[in-house]
Amino acid sequence: MTPTIAVLLIVTFLVSTVGLLLLIWSIATGQFSHGKKAAETIFPPGEVGHGEDPARDIADTLDGDMPANAKAVQIRRQADQSSRSAALAWIGSAVFWLVIGSLYGLLSSTKMHMPEFLANTQWLTFGRVRPMHLNAVVYGWSSMAGIGVALFLLPRLFRTSLVGGRYAITGSVIWNIGLVMGLLAINLGLSDGEEWLEFPWQIDILFVIGGALCAVPLVLTAARRKVDHLYVTSWYLMAALVWFPFLFLIANLPFAFPGASGATVNWWFAHNVLGLWVTPIGIGIAYYMIPKILGRPIISYQLSLLGFWSLALFYSQVGIHHLVGGPVPTWLVTLSIVHSVMMSVPVITVAINHHGTMWGHFGRLKDSPTLRFVWIGALMYTVASLQGSMEALRSVNVITHFTHYTVAHAHLGMYAFLSFILFGAVYFIMPRLMDWEWPWKRMISVHFWLVAAGIFIYVVSLTVGGWKEGLALLDADMPFMDIVRMTIPYLEARTLGGALMTLGHLVFAVHFIAMLRRHGERRYQPTLFRSTRQEASP
């Protein structure tokens, strides 16, 4: 056993042990026995049965369909305004990096089937453009938007004003400086050369500092919380904000993991960023948004806690299945495959809650922007996760490994799942931070259909093309260049899908800026896809 594998196993064992002890504690203290009462924690007295509209403008209050003078509305508004500056700093930055990352992604996709496109300058080679796209969307859009949404939700979950928001604002400045320096370093050819870990370790220090500053408001606000029971969203968000610094710090230790051991750490980190950072953020947001908009608690609170703890227990070793057939011990890969299959437990529990809560209320998808984005994102989490468990099996992995199929799977998770939920959350949050309604509902509709059509074309083309590519690669008699030529139509479809998504992001960014500038007329109705008054859901 190499020192690297030993370190990873020790860290994983300690994390899993802590998770197991916390699970035992939660059972011993009755966290699983609260049931319906715990599921209603996010609803102040009198709010159950009253759906909080995706966006609503009534002069001084944003009250959903509750009376404007209700005490719960006033408390909620105070909590929202306390996080205004911090949340806007992170979400605004995220939208900027979404546009930048999308443009780099479209360029790198084009180069896959037109390698001569803008090939005369070293600044725009595929080897530099592609990692710039990855890091801009992962650490710029996904991470910053997730932190911004968390900063907005925590005061609501704790029913108290955000404390220490200036630390989060300072953290956003440092994080943005790190992103600019990191992307510039990659563009200059100064990369660590490992996927998801391209930024030089000297720059990584800025992300550690920026992320640590964001943890200060979390700790201070949690210490002053006015709720006895922590709703499951709180567990997911707090866990993500605790797990990520440890993952990032260990994976970026300089000179600690050379050679093949570096690949082990690389995929241990890369997959855990998905499962222990962005996945808890996405699931946690959905656990809050779906019940709040429908005005009904989740159907099983016990299942929600089971899903959280099983994620904590099973996910830490999932990433090594990317090294099937690689220079790592077979038993380590087998352990990863077992963990990957066991991930079906939290996935199924989350699916039952998200989709079961929606049952009988799917008509709301026709009018609610937030609900449409968030629920489709939750649905894609179910699909992507079950696909990932299947993809970890050796019989499937031998076909999909090193093909475009894996790229489709990654975008199904990072984009169709997480980004859709983040889009919905932003549509929910901004009117509450700005005291203003989204100016144009048609732009929300255009944004939705562009990104939905784009990701559908993207995933379907690369899934089909990647599977055919994998089967062809197993045919020893087929020339490699024939396989490359076979994939070109699918890569062209990928670029088409990417272009639609990029256009959708531009529409979203323009609408976001208009919202910041309070364009449009002040209105007293929510911005819905259909201008109809919604009845409260029992």
Side-chain angles (χ1 to χ4, degrees):
M1 181 186 297
T2 65
T4 298
I5 295 175
V7 169
L8 293 184
L9 288 178
I10 291 172
V11 171
T12 301
F13 174 76
L14 292 176
V15 171
S16 298
T17 301
V18 171
L20 180 60
L21 292 175
L22 288 173
L23 173 59
I24 295 172
W25 169 84
S26 66
I27 295 174
T29 56
Q31 298 293 312
F32 278 80
S33 62
H34 289 295
K36 182 179 180 180
K37 182 179 179 181
E40 296 177 356
T41 302
I42 57 173
F43 298 97
E47 196 178 23
V48 174
H50 294 272
E52 189 174 350
D53 284 338
R56 187 165 181 76
D57 175 24
I58 299 183
D60 295 327
T61 62
L62 293 160
D63 66 348
D65 54 9
M66 291 187 68
N69 60 353
K71 183 178 179 181
V73 172
Q74 301 300 327
I75 295 174
R76 191 171 65 206
R77 173 176 169 76
Q78 183 180 1
D80 292 349
Q81 290 304 303
S82 70
S83 62
R84 184 176 188 271
S85 298
L88 283 177
W90 284 88
I91 294 174
S93 300
V95 174
F96 170 79
W97 290 115
L98 172 66
V99 174
I100 298 299
S102 301
L103 294 175
Y104 277 113
L106 183 59
L107 178 57
S108 62
S109 178
T110 302
K111 285 176 172 289
M112 291 292 290
H113 56 87
M114 294 177 60
E116 71 283 358
F117 182 67
L118 298 178
N120 296 325
T121 172
Q122 60 183 332
W123 315 107
L124 298 176
T125 57
F126 180 84
R128 298 188 186 183
V129 171
R130 198 270 176 179
M132 291 179 71
H133 157 67
L134 174 65
N135 285 274
V137 295
V138 171
Y139 300 113
W141 158 245
S142 299
S143 295
M144 297 199 77
I147 292 173
V149 174
L151 289 169
F152 172 83
L153 290 181
L154 288 175
R156 282 181 161 228
L157 293 166
F158 297 150
R159 292 189 200 167
T160 185
S161 298
L162 185 72
V163 182
R166 63 184 183 277
Y167 293 104
I169 296 173
T170 304
S172 72
V173 173
I174 296 174
W175 192 287
N176 275 305
I177 293 174
L179 269 168
V180 172
M181 294 179 64
L183 294 175
L184 181 61
I186 293 175
N187 200 236
L188 293 174
L190 303 174
S191 169
D192 283 353
E194 293 181 310
E195 192 171 11
W196 299 78
L197 296 170
E198 287 91 351
F199 289 161
W201 67 267
Q202 296 89 341
I203 296 175
D204 292 329
I205 297 174
L206 295 175
F207 291 94
V208 175
I209 296 173
L213 287 172
C214 279
V216 176
L218 166 65
V219 175
L220 296 179
T221 306
R224 301 187 185 185
R225 71 184 187 275
K226 297 178 181 177
V227 292
D228 295 326
H229 179 82
L230 293 179
Y231 183 66
V232 66
T233 295
S234 303
W235 285 101
Y236 274 110
L237 296 181
M238 290 191 297
L241 293 171
V242 170
W243 283 331
F244 179 72
F246 287 102
L247 295 171
F248 194 80
L249 184 62
I250 292 173
N252 284 286
L253 289 174
F255 316 117
F257 309 112
S261 62
T264 305
V265 176
N266 184 187
W267 280 109
W268 172 81
F269 170 77
H271 229 295
N272 281 338
V273 165
L274 293 173
L276 299 180
W277 172 231
V278 301
T279 293
I281 289 176
I283 294 175
I285 294 172
Y287 263 124
Y288 184 87
M289 294 294 175
I290 293 175
K292 287 291 280 185
I293 293 174
L294 295 178
R296 65 190 301 242
I298 56 175
I299 62 173
S300 175
Y301 195 74
Q302 289 86 350
L303 276 180
S304 72
L305 293 179
L306 178 62
F308 172 78
W309 291 114
S310 54
L311 174 73
L313 291 172
F314 297 139
Y315 202 95
S316 56
Q317 285 295 338
V318 166
I320 310 301
H321 73 244
H322 281 274
L323 297 176
V324 172
V328 295
T330 302
W331 65 264
L332 183 62
V333 175
T334 301
L335 176 65
S336 178
I337 294 173
V338 172
H339 277 247
S340 299
V341 174
M342 291 302 295
M343 273 299 298
S344 58
V345 175
V347 171
I348 292 173
T349 60
V350 170
I352 291 173
N353 259 327
H354 286 170
H355 312 317
T357 304
M358 280 291 300
W359 192 260
H361 296 78
F362 288 105
R364 291 297 309 276
L365 298 175
K366 297 179 181 179
D367 53 75
S368 171
T370 295
L371 192 61
R372 186 183 296 186
F373 275 104
V374 171
W375 179 76
I376 289 180
L379 179 63
M380 291 302 102
Y381 168 72
T382 305
V383 175
S385 299
L386 294 178
Q387 182 192 41
S389 296
M390 178 191 70
E391 194 176 343
L393 301 175
R394 285 186 172 89
S395 58
V396 177
N397 194 278
V398 70
I399 299 174
T400 62
H401 206 36
F402 301 123
T403 69
H404 298 299
Y405 185 99
T406 304
V407 180
H409 170 67
H411 282 76
L412 192 63
M414 277 295 293
Y415 191 87
F417 157 49
L418 180 67
S419 288
F420 267 60
I421 288 180
L422 291 176
F423 288 142
V426 171
Y427 282 124
F428 182 92
I429 290 171
M430 288 301 293
R432 290 157 174 78
L433 297 182
M434 299 300 299
D435 280 334
W436 196 258
E437 193 52 68
W438 287 97
W440 307 293
K441 67 177 182 180
R442 290 189 181 277
M443 290 193 74
I444 303 178
S445 183
V446 169
H447 171 217
F448 173 80
W449 288 111
L450 282 173
V451 296
I455 192 61
F456 177 80
I457 295 172
Y458 192 106
V459 170
V460 170
S461 61
L462 289 190
T463 298
V464 174
W467 188 265
K468 293 177 66 175
E469 177 189 14
L471 293 175
L473 287 170
L474 295 176
D475 184 356
D477 296 328
M478 190 167 188
F480 180 73
M481 287 308 299
D482 289 349
I483 300 175
V484 172
R485 282 188 284 269
M486 178 194 70
T487 63
I488 290 179
Y490 302 101
L491 295 176
E492 292 172 341
R494 162 186 172 160
T495 298
L496 173 61
L500 293 175
M501 288 187 283
T502 301
L503 184 57
H505 299 161
L506 292 173
V507 170
F508 175 61
V510 169
H511 203 190
F512 183 85
I513 294 172
M515 181 67 166
L516 290 177
R517 297 175 62 88
R518 295 190 177 186
H519 281 296
E521 299 180 357
R522 177 175 283 275
R523 288 175 289 108
Y524 296 90
Q525 293 295 326
T527 302
L528 304 173
F529 290 130
R530 297 187 305 171
S531 298
T532 56
R533 182 65 176 158
Q534 298 304 315
E535 298 179 356
S537 301

